[in-house]
Amino acid sequence: MTHNVVLKNETKLCSTKSFVSVNGKFPGPTLYAREDDTLIVRVTNLVQHNVTIHWHGIKQLRTCWSDGPAYVTQCPIQTGQSFVYNFTITGQRGTLLWHAHITWLRATMHGAIVILPKRGTPYPFPKPDKEKIIILGEWWKSDVEAVVNQATSSGMPPNISDAHTINGHPGPVPGCISQGYTLHVESGKTYLLRIINAALNDELFFKIAGHKLIVVEADASYLKPFEIDTIFLSPGQTTNVLLTANQPIGKYLIAITPFMDAPIGFDNLSSIATLRYKGIPPYTKTILTNIPPLNATPITKTFTDSLRSLNSKTYPTRVSLTIDHSLLFAITVGLNPCDTCITDNKLVSAINNITFLMPTVSLLQANYYNIKGVFTDDFPSKPPMVFDYTGTDQPANLHTDNGTKVYRLNFNSSVQIVLQGTAMIAPENHPFHLHGFNFFVVGQGLGNFDPEKDPLRFNLVDPIERNTLSVPNNGWIAIRFRADNPGVWFLHCHLEVHTTWGLKMAFIVDNGRGPSESILPPPKDLPIC
């Protein structure tokens, strides 16, 4: 299949702009595949921006060259150039997403990946009558690249988006009547909704008036089904739910509302769509619903606490019980000197006080060809100083160290990372995404992680398996994964503002023994920097 990256003009919120798209669509085209299929996608860049595409959540076994983050696994595709992404979907089925992975272009360059089970393999839940894709996003009236460039030069937080979108529709907002998305249903039928949060910087609630949702999958991993009326998605997360059209025939409000439990700027506009039953009379009033408060932490906790992997005979949960690498990553926001900035300082983010600097060639090429001077493999396994991470007594020195540092893992070693939130400057939720792997969420909590007591409460039986998960505001999560995929793998906050500020790092997983445990050679058309 072909992804042509082209400019598109579109009017939203009573304002017209030109933006970067794939095949002139927003959201972009859906990729359909089955487990074990090989996908070959030719991406041709016909715009003035450098581009790459990341297949978010695809494990890329031995095909790290096709993962997509710019300057991590490839140099970007330059204007007029093409690159063929070639990868096989191994042991995965469900809903994922693809998106641009350079600067902020994923605001408009994104779409769904639907991975169907192998032929003859049923879903582990009742077969739905129909399936629908629902992609949640954000929309800026201005050019998104100009927004991030202005923030970078000023050292201040970027301007927030003007609306949230549902399948590209912002719906009506104050001062502008615009069409919203309509979900058409028939009474008595059951629908599998494949819901994707493709927003840049906002975690979102999803709710349909008068209807319960049965959650059956998250991040392309099957779950023990549970019923709930509000689901919660961080940027990069996907959730599949069953919706049965079992209410009186009518029109019902669908609400997308942001979650923010920290005193910082964000787009607090709700976006609305309509669930419409077949056969309703004209001028039927829409049935409304109560939307969650902006800081509804209990609702997010109820949802995340309900997530359990299926752990069946067909889909077992294999959590590492022994640990080779035990890492504590403290997430901080700091201030570094900046000559061009308004206050002579710029906001930065760091893991273990390292603000990650992107190289000018790809880390994967530097590692594969043993190019010196691009990175060092001394990323710290713990914070440089111990302090009360979530308390009121925070370090006075807010400066961080800049560096292109990676952490090296032996093939097939087992890894535990405790991601620890801190109260430095701006404590908030941080949705972290790990490339190349799924991880098991074995524990989470508020306050500081206690290495003696907290592991005693870890769930090692049926923890949720994900590729993206939020570190709670002033709290921690513990994740485990097995480093059985050679290559260079990015770990970063999926709030694009924080990635821009340096809240990222990379793992290098060394080759194992023999070809089957080694990364494939680079493709001949790999872009050059």
Side-chain angles (χ1 to χ4, degrees), residues 93 116-127 222 314-315:
R93 74 298 299 163
L116 300 169
K118 297 178 199 175
R119 292 195 184 278
T121 303
Y123 293 130
F125 47 80
K127 189 174 187 297
Y222 291 135
T314 312
Y315 304 103

Side-chain angles (χ1 to χ4, degrees), residues 51-54 98-103 105-106 109-110 496:
V51 299
T52 70
I53 291 184
H54 169 52
W98 59 264
H99 60 76
H101 212 304
I102 183 168
T103 63
L105 290 181
R106 74 176 169 96
M109 281 179 66
H110 60 251
E496 205 59 49

Side-chain angles (χ1 to χ4, degrees), residues 328-391:
L328 176 65
F329 284 0
I331 302 159
T332 54
V333 176
L335 287 172
N336 280 355
C338 171
D339 295 338
T340 62
C341 296
I342 294 168
T343 63
D344 296 328
N345 286 295
K346 63 179 178 180
L347 285 163
V348 293
S349 285
I351 300 173
N352 288 351
N353 212 46
I354 303 297
T355 296
F356 193 86
L357 295 183
M358 296 302 266
T360 51
V361 300
S362 94
L363 293 172
L364 182 58
Q365 285 168 283
N367 185 59
Y368 190 86
Y369 293 111
N370 200 22
I371 303 169
K372 303 297 183 190
V374 176
F375 66 87
T376 57
D377 56 5
D378 56 349
F379 192 90
S381 62
K382 59 182 186 296
M385 59 179 282
V386 176
F387 61 98
D388 182 2
Y389 304 114
T390 56

